[in-house]
Amino acid sequence: MRAAESANVLIEARALTYSRQDEVVFGPIDFAIHAGDIALIEGDNGSGKTTLMRILTGMLHTDEGELIFEGAPYTRDTTAGAIVFLGHHLGLKLDLSARENLHVAEGLYGRRDGADPLGVLTSVGLAGYEDEPVQRLSAGQKKRAALARLLLVPARVWLLDEPYANLDRDGIALVNRLLGEHAARGGAALVTSHGAVSFAGDEPRRIRLHA
Amino acid sequence: MANWVPLWLHKLGSPPIFYRFAGVVRPWALALAILAALAALYGGLVLAPADYQQGDAYRIIFIHVPSAWMSLFIYGAMAVAAFVGLVWRIKIAEVVAMESAPIGAAFTFITLVTGSLWGKPMWGTWWTWDARLTSELVLLFLYLGVIGLYHSFEDRRQGARAASFLALIGIVNVPIVHFSVNWWNTLHQGSTVRILGPSHIEMSMLWPLLTMMLATKLYYIASLFARVRADLIATESGKDWVRAIALAENGDRP
Amino acid sequence: MTPGSTSAACAALFRRDLTLAWRRRGDIAMPVLYAVIVTTLFPFALGPEAALLARISGGVVLVTVLLAILLALDSLFRSDIDDGSLEQLMLAPQPLALLLGVKILAHWLTAAAPLIVVAPVLASMLRMPANVIPALIAALVLATPLLSLLGAVLVALTAGTRRSGMLLALMLLPLCVPVVIFAAGAVAAAQEGLPWVAPIAWLGAALALALVLAPMACAAALRIAMDA
């Protein structure tokens, strides 16, 4: 079992630590994310959840500890195209429609087999709002439009920073359903949340950050 | 990249080692700088003969010329430190680059002020769009840009990295500016008076000049080391070695 | 074009930026309006004497255009930083330098190209002789993309900071001194009836160099500025 697991480790962190102004923000932490894993990053406000997310995107650099992607060092070249990130800022252009936003994402990241912009907008519950400028959508609908991007692009690893914020009960259920389907396809996801999450299906792995 | 380079630099660049090294060197450098400056001023202002054309007015070169040299030298030193800091992510190099900038800006400012003071008797005006003075003014803006960018970031190390990058862009820019300003000067038939006078200088004028150059270099080292030490104490305040120093100091005077 | 290929990425980004600019076309007019206002102030300050205005026309138009570009530069990454699009751009599996080159091109087309169009009008208002106008346009066609490219690197460096307007001007000034000298040199030479090809050629050479190096420097600067 362990041997089979270590064969498909996607992301591995060894003694990963981050310091800002020589003050430790979090760490050292160790974890391994396999294909099919959904990992919940837990911690109080200021415990470094978003910081860890930014490190995992590759935008933020840390000198302490090791980060490995599929057995190779964690660099832009090795992670290119494998990771998609949804942060506090949704990365949507407010003057464009949801469909136009997805066309840009498709151009930049490519398209998952069998996915198309209209189809993924329907599956996040935005049917009928495809051509509405994003600025006229509600906060929850904007979030759904951003979630649609995850379904459209072929990335295997989803990094979701507070995906449940601004969502109603249906929306939360939607995120859980998308995560479940993604895991079943052999994808992996790291999710931060400071609230209690009722994750449907299997119990997620937990990565605990101490403040 | 060769592995021994970062290893060697990391050893030299360890904050506590550098802190102690700088603490030992700084008083010597400062004392020698003051001695050399006094000797150079005596040689330049008293011993050296008056110029047959400019009279005593030329004596400002003993301040002006070493400052001008230092303004360029420090920019070069800052750019080297910035490059090392960016490539090998060595903290001490980032600190050296950032703490060099205000010293370099000060020398550039002195160069500009003494240049225009000298310009009054020579050209009859405080300011002229001479190629050298104009380049020096642009250099001052480069320094101020680096300092401004460094301080506009909340995270000091990130600010240092961004400002280091700007310093490297500037080092490419300096010769381009100099070339273009020279071209512009010939185009507009500007002043043709040469600041540095005849290329062969009397020995009695040369040695104070060189001594003053030595003094400014030593002063730069002393000033830089003092600034770097203060910066390290502030940014590494959470580290054990700083705590040890603080405890030792308090042990002397509770 | 297959989605996800580099050419598709560039095309999608180019279309996005032009669409966004078109939906906010009021913003495109701002630099032009600014240039018109500044230029009309000069005759009021210096008097309407034709010979004097003609003498300063080249320099005034060039500096005005430079300032208008500086004004527009801040918007290059601002909205992309605020809404998170820049992070999406940086994580895309594409060469970032190329994507930024596309963004700079789109920005130049929407912010600087309209200035080149109005520049002859502004120059005529300042009584610039008609035979000098071609030199002015040639200088602007080469100098404005050069300024956009150099400015983009500096805007990228300030991407992680809050206040950047004045700082950007301070940082850009040393870089734009040679550009202004050669562009104004070409116009001045044309005004004196001298050959003005040499400074234009220098500008062209600098532009060719900047086209290759500036997007790469811009990408490196952006990675430094976002590393927090």
Side-chain angles (χ1 to χ4, degrees):
Chain A
M1 185 64 196
R2 285 252 37 116
E5 265 187 12
S6 64
N8 53 17
V9 173
L10 277 174
I11 298 176
E12 192 179 351
R14 293 184 195 147
L16 191 68
T17 309
Y18 183 75
S19 311
R20 180 173 284 136
Q21 315 265 7
D22 288 299
E23 251 173 70
V24 174
V25 177
F26 68 75
I29 55 168
D30 299 85
F31 60 83
I33 305 296
H34 306 80
D37 273 350
I38 307 295
L40 194 61
I41 301 170
E42 294 175 311
D44 304 324
N45 288 338
S47 60
K49 297 191 296 290
T50 298
T51 306
L52 175 58
M53 274 291 169
R54 290 183 68 81
I55 289 174
L56 289 171
T57 62
M59 278 188 289
L60 186 56
H61 180 277
T62 178
D63 292 320
E64 298 154 277
E66 238 186 315
L67 205 52
I68 294 157
F69 187 81
E70 291 191 315
Y74 209 93
T75 63
R76 282 197 297 283
D77 293 333
T78 52
T79 61
I83 286 176
V84 65
F85 172 61
L86 176 61
H88 290 271
H89 302 297
L90 299 176
L92 294 170
K93 280 285 161 200
L94 297 183
D95 288 332
L96 299 181
S97 69
R99 199 213 307 230
E100 286 169 320
N101 270 299
L102 287 180
H103 278 304
V104 176
E106 186 183 30
L108 290 175
Y109 286 79
R111 184 194 279 198
R112 186 188 293 278
D113 288 335
D116 71 290
L118 282 182
V120 296
L121 281 173
T122 308
S123 58
V124 297
L126 283 178
Y129 293 96
E130 298 93 346
D131 294 318
E132 198 73 11
V134 171
Q135 60 188 346
R136 288 207 213 126
L137 301 181
S138 72
Q141 284 172 321
K142 280 177 190 148
K143 194 91 182 200
R144 285 166 186 257
L147 288 168
R149 185 172 63 229
L150 303 176
L151 296 177
L152 183 67
V153 304
R156 278 170 297 155
V157 179
W158 291 1
L159 301 175
L160 311 183
D161 198 4
E162 300 288 348
Y164 300 102
N166 288 329
L167 285 178
D168 55 13
R169 198 171 304 173
D170 286 349
I172 293 171
L174 171 72
V175 174
N176 287 337
R177 179 168 63 80
L178 296 182
L179 283 171
E181 287 170 7
H182 184 59
R185 273 195 302 264
L190 284 105
V191 181
T192 65
S193 179
H194 61 256
V197 177
S198 55
F199 183 72
D202 295 338
E203 184 63 13
R205 302 172 75 92
R206 287 171 192 278
I207 300 169
R208 178 96 200 127
L209 298 176
H210 295 281
Chain B
M1 215 77 71
N3 235 354
W4 61 268
V5 179
L7 273 177
W8 176 76
L9 281 172
H10 269 295
K11 190 159 185 186
L12 183 99
S14 147
I17 292 178
F18 194 93
Y19 182 87
R20 249 172 274 132
F21 168 72
V24 172
V25 171
R26 198 190 71 89
W28 290 99
L30 190 61
L32 285 175
I34 292 170
L35 280 179
L38 287 174
L41 285 179
Y42 184 72
L45 301 187
V46 180
L47 296 184
D51 187 82
Y52 73 99
Q53 269 184 327
Q54 302 174 30
D56 280 332
Y58 89 96
R59 292 185 196 274
I60 203 161
I61 65 163
F62 296 112
I63 305 288
H64 178 77
V65 173
S67 299
W69 282 339
M70 283 314 282
S71 66
L72 281 171
F73 175 83
I74 294 177
Y75 201 94
M78 178 173 79
V80 169
F83 180 79
V84 171
L86 275 179
V87 173
W88 289 292
R89 287 182 170 268
I90 291 164
K91 182 173 179 168
I92 219 79
E94 292 168 8
V95 175
V96 165
M98 288 307 106
E99 296 300 343
S100 290
I103 310 173
F107 273 115
T108 314
F109 186 71
I110 292 171
T111 309
L112 284 171
V113 170
T114 52
S116 73
L117 282 177
W118 192 16
K120 185 65 183 167
M122 291 239 329
W123 300 318
T125 172
W126 296 108
W127 182 261
T128 174
W129 292 97
D130 161 80
R132 281 168 203 265
L133 270 182
T134 312
S135 302
E136 201 69 21
L137 184 65
V138 172
L139 189 66
L140 181 64
F141 285 126
L142 277 173
Y143 274 122
L144 293 181
V146 169
I147 296 169
L149 186 63
Y150 174 50
H151 288 289
S152 69
F153 280 85
E154 276 169 38
D155 184 313
R156 292 176 76 142
R157 283 205 71 178
Q158 195 198 1
R161 293 177 58 75
S164 294
F165 195 85
L166 182 65
L168 289 181
I169 296 174
I171 202 91
V172 179
N173 192 42
V174 167
I176 298 176
V177 167
H178 196 81
F179 165 72
S180 58
V181 170
N182 265 329
W183 182 83
W184 167 74
N185 241 22
T186 55
L187 184 78
H188 292 273
Q189 294 296 318
S191 158
T192 47
V193 182
R194 293 187 54 193
I195 282 197
L196 264 180
S199 49
H200 49 90
I201 312 179
E202 280 287 311
M203 195 54 208
S204 57
M205 294 181 189
L206 185 63
W207 77 260
L209 206 55
L210 293 178
T211 312
M212 190 54 112
M213 198 181 81
L214 181 72
T216 51
K217 288 244 175 10
L218 288 166
Y219 172 76
Y220 166 57
I221 290 171
S223 173
L224 176 70
F225 281 8
R227 299 181 70 94
V228 170
R229 274 163 63 92
D231 188 293
L232 285 178
I233 282 286
T235 56
E236 301 252 311
S237 55
K239 294 278 174 73
D240 287 341
W241 68 269
V242 178
R243 198 165 296 139
I245 290 171
L247 285 176
E249 293 268 319
N250 276 348
D252 292 347
R253 319 175 240 106
Chain C
M1 275 187 295
T2 47
S5 68
T6 303
S7 54
C10 292
L13 188 63
F14 190 62
R15 248 184 71 186
R16 185 200 81 163
D17 277 10
L18 289 189
T19 311
L20 286 171
W22 180 247
R23 296 211 174 143
R24 298 225 167 233
R25 26 194 188 279
D27 292 356
I28 300 182
M30 291 312 286
V32 172
L33 204 60
Y34 173 83
V36 172
I37 291 168
V38 171
T39 315
T40 42
L41 284 176
F42 274 89
F44 290 122
L46 298 171
E49 187 199 332
L52 174 68
L53 290 180
R55 215 179 102 62
I56 62 161
S57 58
V60 167
V61 171
L62 279 169
V63 172
T64 306
V65 167
L66 167 83
L67 291 178
I69 288 179
L70 181 67
L71 197 72
L73 264 178
D74 193 48
S75 69
L76 180 56
F77 297 124
R78 182 54 57 205
S79 76
D80 281 353
I81 291 168
D82 290 344
D83 64 19
S85 302
L86 196 64
E87 292 167 349
Q88 299 297 329
L89 206 65
M90 290 174 71
L91 296 181
Q94 312 290 349
L96 182 59
L98 200 60
L99 295 180
L100 293 175
V102 169
K103 265 196 82 67
I104 297 167
L105 174 64
H107 189 264
W108 179 79
L109 279 176
T110 54
L115 289 168
I116 300 179
V117 175
V118 296
V121 180
L122 299 178
S124 305
M125 280 164 68
L126 295 176
R127 304 300 183 87
M128 181 184 274
N131 61 336
V132 182
I133 302 264
L136 177 71
I137 293 176
L140 283 175
V141 164
L142 293 172
T144 54
L146 197 50
L147 288 171
S148 289
L149 286 162
L150 295 174
V153 181
L154 302 181
V155 178
L157 274 180
T158 59
T161 66
R162 280 275 151 246
R163 55 203 166 85
S164 59
M166 201 50 220
L167 181 63
L168 193 62
L170 180 64
M171 284 158 55
L172 187 63
L173 184 115
L175 292 184
C176 68
V177 164
V179 181
V180 170
I181 285 177
F182 284 109
V187 176
Q191 249 168 344
E192 285 164 33
L194 301 167
W196 43 270
V197 181
I200 292 289
W202 277 112
L203 279 178
L207 178 59
L209 209 60
L211 273 175
V212 179
L213 295 179
M216 286 195 276
C218 191
L222 207 52
R223 293 204 194 279
I224 290 172
M226 299 296 279
D227 191 356

